[in-house]
Amino acid sequence: MQKLNKILFLVGFIALLFSCTQEEKPIEIYVSQTAENEKGDGLSYTTVAEAVQKTSELKENSPEAHIIINILPGTYYLSESITIPPSLSNLTIKGTSASEVTLKGATPIQLDWQKYKDHMYVADVGQVSSFDQFVVNGKPQVLARYPNYDEAAQYWQGFAEDALSKERVASWKNPVGTYFHALHGGRWGGFHFRITGIDADGNPVFEGGHQNNRALNRTKYSEW
């Protein structure tokens, strides 16, 4: 009987070892700028969104499958947020390295710059009408603001008490979407407003301004 128990234990151990070695291999998906990978298995896409969509399709048939999305070297632009729901559990997304893979929420555009006057150039940005940062050749640009950007200025690189004067407001062609910033007099906090329009008296209409829990009369202003 003791010998039989040893045999059964040995058989059971071998069966367990065999079952562990038979675990399904991860499903590999590749994202590259050319939609090609060295394995040639057909699971290659040019955007992360397409790869995540393919993952969703694979998970419908194999909910427990381990899927790996490999992002190959390059810069990839995201047109919308990537949502990873619970149904995509056991998903790994990895790039070749942090220095080789870049994901950006920006929209690349090619512009035809025309000289306007002096050192000013203009270009039509087409349908790209909503953005809060502008980068040219990898260098962030200063958006239109009042007062003009001054690197030597102590606060916000420039501030002015007449930022919301009626004369200043009247000079705006279209203020909707402009942000107004007010620095707390104690310089430990500030308020930030978005201008949504102009009322009948010529004053700006705001939303926001709840970023500080205490107010103070002495403030410094800037708007852009």
Side-chain angles (χ1 to χ4, degrees):
M1 179 63 70
Q2 185 176 4
K3 184 177 181 180
L4 179 59
N5 287 340
K6 289 182 178 179
I7 294 175
L8 292 176
F9 174 77
L10 179 60
V11 172
F13 177 76
I14 294 174
L16 176 62
L17 181 63
F18 180 77
S19 64
C20 291
T21 59
Q22 292 300 306
E23 183 179 352
E24 292 187 7
K25 293 183 178 180
I27 300 175
E28 303 271 356
I29 297 178
Y30 293 84
V31 178
S32 72
Q33 295 184 321
T34 60
E36 298 177 353
N37 69 78
E38 67 281 3
K39 294 182 179 297
D41 55 13
L43 296 180
S44 300
Y45 303 92
T46 57
T47 69
V48 178
E50 291 174 328
V52 172
Q53 176 59 38
K54 181 60 179 180
T55 299
S56 298
E57 297 172 3
L58 294 172
K59 284 287 189 177
E60 290 180 0
N61 297 324
S62 303
E64 303 302 322
H66 179 199
I67 299 176
I68 301 176
I69 296 178
N70 300 281
I71 305 178
L72 302 185
T75 298
Y76 302 88
Y77 293 92
L78 305 179
S79 59
E80 57 185 6
S81 299
I82 300 298
T83 302
I84 309 296
S87 60
L88 298 187
S89 178
N90 207 18
L91 166 66
T92 299
I93 301 178
K94 63 181 182 179
T96 52
S97 75
S99 62
E100 294 181 326
V101 175
T102 302
L103 300 181
K104 291 186 176 183
T107 299
I109 55 177
Q110 299 296 325
L111 300 178
D112 179 21
W113 292 98
Q114 301 292 329
K115 189 170 184 178
Y116 176 62
K117 62 180 180 180
D118 298 330
H119 301 292
M120 298 177 63
Y121 287 78
V122 298
D124 184 0
V125 297
Q127 298 301 314
V128 186
S129 58
S130 178
F131 57 89
D132 58 10
Q133 188 175 28
F134 186 55
V135 180
V136 178
N137 296 330
K139 183 178 180 180
Q141 304 298 303
V142 178
L143 299 183
R145 52 166 288 169
Y146 176 80
N148 288 333
Y149 183 90
D150 181 2
E151 185 62 40
Q154 187 174 7
Y155 305 108
W156 282 329
Q157 285 72 50
F159 61 90
E161 293 187 2
D162 68 338
L164 289 180
S165 67
K166 282 203 171 185
E167 293 77 14
R168 173 62 52 186
V169 173
S171 69
W172 297 339
K173 182 177 181 180
N174 181 16
V176 176
T178 297
Y179 288 94
F180 171 69
H181 307 272
L183 179 65
H184 191 291
R187 300 170 181 80
W188 49 256
F191 300 87
H192 312 276
F193 304 84
R194 181 176 181 272
I195 298 177
T196 60
I198 301 295
D199 64 19
D201 296 324
N203 299 308
V205 179
F206 301 110
E207 67 177 10
H210 50 265
Q211 300 87 353
N212 201 315
N213 64 350
R214 284 181 291 168
L216 192 68
N217 291 330
R218 292 177 287 113
T219 54
K220 298 182 182 299
Y221 305 101
S222 180
E223 56 90 4
W224 60 82

